[in-house]
Amino acid sequence: MHDPSAAQSPPAWRTTRQRLAVLGALRGCPDFASARELHATLQADGVTIGLTTVYRTLRALERTGRVDVVRERTGERLYRPRPTDGHRHYLVCRRCGVSLPVDADAVERWADDVAAATGFAEVEHTVELTGTCDRCRAAEPDPAPDPPGQEWGMRLR
Amino acid sequence: MHDPSAAQSPPAWRTTRQRLAVLGALRGCPDFASARELHATLQADGVTIGLTTVYRTLRALERTGRVDVVRERTGERLYRPRPTDGHRHYLVCRRCGVSLPVDADAVERWADDVAAATGFAEVEHTVELTGTCDRCRAAEPDPAPDPPGQEWGMRLR
DNA sequence: TTCGTTGCAAAAGGTTTGCATACCA
DNA sequence: TGGTATGCAAACCTTTTGCAACGAA
């Protein structure tokens, strides 16, 4: 027992020009941003950095819990610096992308209750809220809501 | 007014061999399955069907609310037939994939409250719970939990 | 006969990896 | 100096699209 390789800690983090730049860009952007967007921003600011490095840095930050991540409908990952410990859920405007940390205590409690009731262990949850912010709504009231189901009366057998 | 093109209803659903097969495979698999998995299952059962058709069928079922969808960590979409109206959230085992519909009234109410409080309209929510079911847990107690943050002491300025 | 559906191939789009080079500690 | 980090190119994966042929109604 006491296998040294098991206690092996991850490689030391090296502070590089590129990583600082990604952190800076992240802080400079209050809402969720994709890796590509961050990369474009950095290049526009004259920072020389590879897209690969942006991806790798974001993934590292994700692993250490320094950024929050949501998924676009396309599957694209969007990153946002984690404001404080405790706020980890957001309401994101589908049109302009503005994001708003929301109080999620009720969800946290609910998730804990479900975990306790089902016998599942190490229960993690992801909660994503999207909507249309009132500013966008004022700009253009209604974008033709999708026809609400039932239009395809499939007969199965 | 009364523009006919605006009232245009979606194209009629045609019941084809392939669509019935996808529905069948979906019903035959109680847990979440990806498009590729369903396609492989169908082929193994001797059903001739294109992967494209599986994707298109699943997308159509998703639009009409006949299946529930979750996202893998990779971004892959996983589908599951919707058991009843009302149950739309699941607790999925990260190891064996078994999924369990959970009562999500608390989350629904919370989402409605957030919508009301923020002034956002058309608020949609996705909630995904993952954990380790007791069966998997019994099989192998603990799979080396990831080192809990803080291991990379980054100095930012 | 009509028009939605199928399936192949190819494109698209985001993310990851191999490997030689650059650079932090 | 040693071992990470970087960056390019190419690989990977899932999903979507163009288009000609097929088939349900």
Side-chain angles (χ1 to χ4, degrees):
Chain A
M1 313 312 144
H2 266 284
D3 175 6
S5 74
Q8 186 182 58
S9 62
W13 173 280
R14 286 192 184 168
T15 302
T16 64
R17 174 179 60 78
Q18 292 91 334
R19 287 178 174 177
L20 289 174
V22 171
L23 265 306
L26 221 34
R27 273 201 308 271
C29 173
D31 290 321
F32 283 95
S34 68
R36 291 196 99 88
E37 284 166 351
L38 289 169
H39 182 242
T41 300
L42 289 168
Q43 299 248 297
D45 289 353
V47 176
T48 301
I49 187 174
L51 178 57
T52 304
T53 300
V54 175
Y55 274 111
R56 281 195 276 232
T57 302
L58 289 173
R59 214 150 64 91
L61 293 171
E62 184 182 352
R63 272 197 300 268
T64 56
R66 303 186 47 115
V67 294
D68 287 318
V69 186
V70 299
R71 269 184 197 290
E72 266 287 17
R73 306 173 88 90
T74 62
E76 192 179 14
R77 283 213 243 304
L78 303 182
Y79 297 86
R80 178 189 157 133
R82 179 171 296 178
T84 75
D85 274 349
H87 273 150
R88 297 159 83 161
H89 299 298
Y90 302 86
L91 174 53
V92 182
C93 176
R94 279 192 295 271
R95 295 199 214 167
C96 68
V98 63
S99 66
L100 200 67
V102 298
D103 171 53
D105 284 347
V107 174
E108 309 287 343
R109 276 196 303 275
W110 171 77
D112 290 344
D113 291 347
V114 169
T118 56
F120 273 53
E122 299 155 359
V123 172
E124 297 174 2
H125 63 274
T126 69
V127 173
E128 289 169 20
L129 294 172
T130 62
T132 311
C133 71
D134 36 15
R135 176 176 303 197
C136 284
R137 196 165 176 71
E140 189 191 343
D142 254 328
D146 246 11
Q150 291 312 81
E151 66 275 19
W152 287 354
M154 189 190 309
R155 280 171 301 293
L156 290 187
R157 298 162 186 278
Chain B
M1 311 314 138
H2 265 282
D3 175 6
S5 74
Q8 185 182 59
S9 61
W13 174 280
R14 285 191 185 170
T15 302
T16 65
R17 174 180 60 80
Q18 292 91 335
R19 287 177 175 177
L20 289 174
V22 171
L23 266 305
L26 222 33
R27 274 201 307 269
C29 173
D31 292 320
F32 284 96
S34 68
R36 289 197 99 87
E37 284 166 351
L38 289 169
H39 182 242
T41 299
L42 289 168
Q43 299 247 298
D45 289 353
V47 176
T48 302
I49 186 173
L51 179 57
T52 304
T53 301
V54 175
Y55 275 110
R56 281 195 278 231
T57 303
L58 289 173
R59 213 151 64 91
L61 293 172
E62 184 182 351
R63 273 197 301 267
T64 56
R66 303 186 47 116
V67 294
D68 287 318
V69 186
V70 299
R71 270 187 196 287
E72 264 288 16
R73 307 172 89 89
T74 62
E76 192 179 13
R77 284 214 239 310
L78 303 182
Y79 298 86
R80 178 189 155 131
R82 178 171 297 177
T84 73
D85 274 352
H87 275 150
R88 296 161 80 162
H89 298 299
Y90 302 86
L91 174 53
V92 181
C93 176
R94 278 192 295 272
R95 295 198 213 167
C96 68
V98 63
S99 64
L100 200 68
V102 297
D103 170 53
D105 284 349
V107 175
E108 309 288 342
R109 276 196 303 274
W110 170 76
D112 290 344
D113 291 348
V114 170
T118 56
F120 274 52
E122 299 154 1
V123 172
E124 297 174 3
H125 64 273
T126 69
V127 173
E128 289 169 21
L129 293 173
T130 62
T132 311
C133 71
D134 36 15
R135 176 177 303 200
C136 284
R137 196 166 176 70
E140 190 190 344
D142 254 329
D146 246 12
Q150 291 313 80
E151 67 276 20
W152 287 356
M154 189 189 308
R155 282 172 298 293
L156 291 185
R157 299 163 186 278

